[in-house]
Amino acid sequence: MTEKKLRIVLMGPQGSGKGTQAQLLGDYYHLPYISTGDMFRQAVKEQTELGKKIKDLLDKGELVPDELTNALVAERLSQPDCQAGFILDGFPRNLSQAEFLLDNFDIDFVFEIDISDDEAVKRISGRRVCDCGMTYHIIYNPPQKEGICDRCGGQLKVRSDDQEEAVRRRLQIYHEQTAKMIPFFQTKGIFYHINGEQPIEAVNKDIVKIITEHGFDKN
Ligand code: ADP
Ligand code: ADP
Ligand code: ZN
């Protein structure tokens, strides 16, 4: 067992493969995969108080207010399963969330998985997801049996916010707000750029290589 905690943030435009890589890294390092998008979608599905407040924002591809998002993440990262580390996907999304995160938690690596907007739109249009958290692509990463999750046998679905308008809005927000966090992370010495326009395994290798070079072992 490695003694070191491993706390990773994945950033990158929609469709860059954050969820896909987070699953792989989570399995490899035995760390929880935390996606704010998944947590918000779950809240909408369960029609919780939070879910009712944020449903319209999610459908339009707009960001949920920082106070709600920060509180949700802080609560989740404080749970026992995050003590050895975690993989965060979809948070932070703007400078104020980034400052909140680093004020309250230590982060070892921020990986930006980068792809062009054209590639992003191609990927999102073929994305299929399972309630268990697995993500597939009808061409690039198909399940063994069409429409069925390899891991749990669940029925695969198109995400309701994977509509072209909402995707374009999310890409615009990414370039306007999310990418602005990069200089902040660079000054902290924790930022790494990853070429996302490679096969899934090659992207994974690039990330694991950097983690290994910094003396973090597999659990
Ligand atoms: P994608 O990366 O495909 O845009 P996510 O699953 O990360 O999708 O997020 C889905 C939606 O959840 C976002 O469009 C936004 O409404 C909300 N969301 C997720 N993470 C955050 C965050 N850190 N801050 C504010 N809103 C968020
Ligand atoms: P994000 O979480 O960044 O929005 P996902 O992991 O959901 O991205 O990936 C978006 C879509 O692209 C999914 O259908 C996924 O299977 C596919 N995908 C992920 N990584 C790659 C890759 N390196 N090459 C081709 N397709 C990919
Ligand atoms: Zn599944």
Side-chain angles (χ1 to χ4, degrees):
M1 280 271 284
T2 170
E3 306 275 303
K4 274 180 156 181
K5 295 185 182 190
L6 180 51
R7 293 147 302 194
I8 298 171
V9 168
L10 296 179
M11 56 181 285
Q14 286 57 48
S16 61
K18 298 180 297 295
T20 302
Q21 296 300 328
Q23 283 288 350
L24 292 172
L25 293 169
D27 288 350
Y28 188 74
Y29 289 108
H30 300 293
L31 293 174
Y33 159 33
I34 296 159
S35 153
T36 43
D38 283 350
M39 289 163 81
F40 285 141
R41 277 186 292 279
Q42 189 68 26
V44 170
K45 199 173 143 195
E46 289 172 0
Q47 299 185 351
T48 63
E49 278 310 303
L50 174 69
K52 286 179 207 157
K53 267 190 224 162
I54 63 177
K55 184 178 186 314
D56 284 353
L57 292 172
L58 257 67
D59 283 341
K60 287 191 206 124
E62 298 291 337
L63 291 185
V64 173
D66 290 341
E67 314 82 74
L68 293 177
T69 310
N70 290 346
L72 185 81
V73 170
E75 208 271 320
R76 180 67 189 86
L77 295 186
S78 307
Q79 286 173 21
D81 66 327
C82 291
Q83 295 320 301
F86 49 77
I87 298 157
L88 254 182
D89 162 15
F91 183 91
R93 279 284 233 280
N94 58 34
L95 197 54
S96 120
Q97 292 181 4
E99 285 167 348
F100 174 84
L101 180 65
L102 294 198
D103 281 347
N104 292 284
F105 299 91
D106 292 322
I107 297 296
D108 305 292
F109 300 96
V110 176
F111 295 107
E112 188 199 28
I113 307 174
D114 198 23
I115 63 171
S116 67
D117 284 6
D118 284 349
E119 179 68 16
V121 170
K122 254 194 253 169
R123 288 195 191 171
I124 296 286
S125 61
R127 173 155 68 184
R128 298 293 180 274
V129 296
C130 178
D131 283 340
C132 81
M134 288 295 284
T135 297
Y136 300 86
H137 190 281
I138 51 174
I139 296 159
Y140 302 138
N141 183 27
Q144 282 169 6
K145 205 166 154 216
E146 197 184 319
I148 305 291
C149 177
D150 292 345
R151 179 197 268 174
C152 76
Q155 194 79 38
L156 301 184
K157 300 177 215 159
V158 176
R159 254 173 58 178
S160 67
D161 61 346
D162 277 354
Q163 308 301 327
E164 196 167 335
E165 269 311 294
V167 171
R168 273 211 230 103
R169 177 68 187 136
R170 273 142 62 204
L171 284 169
Q172 188 191 3
I173 293 175
Y174 184 81
H175 295 302
E176 281 171 12
Q177 300 188 20
T178 312
K180 283 198 187 131
M181 301 186 300
I182 293 172
F184 173 67
F185 289 134
Q186 279 172 329
T187 63
K188 308 279 176 188
I190 54 176
F191 181 81
Y192 301 86
H193 186 265
I194 301 287
N195 173 13
E197 293 200 19
Q198 317 178 71
I200 291 171
E201 300 71 36
V203 176
N204 181 246
K205 252 193 184 159
D206 284 358
I207 296 173
V208 170
K209 184 163 177 268
I210 292 168
I211 296 172
T212 308
E213 280 168 1
H214 286 79
F216 290 83
D217 297 325
K218 192 182 158 181
N219 265 330

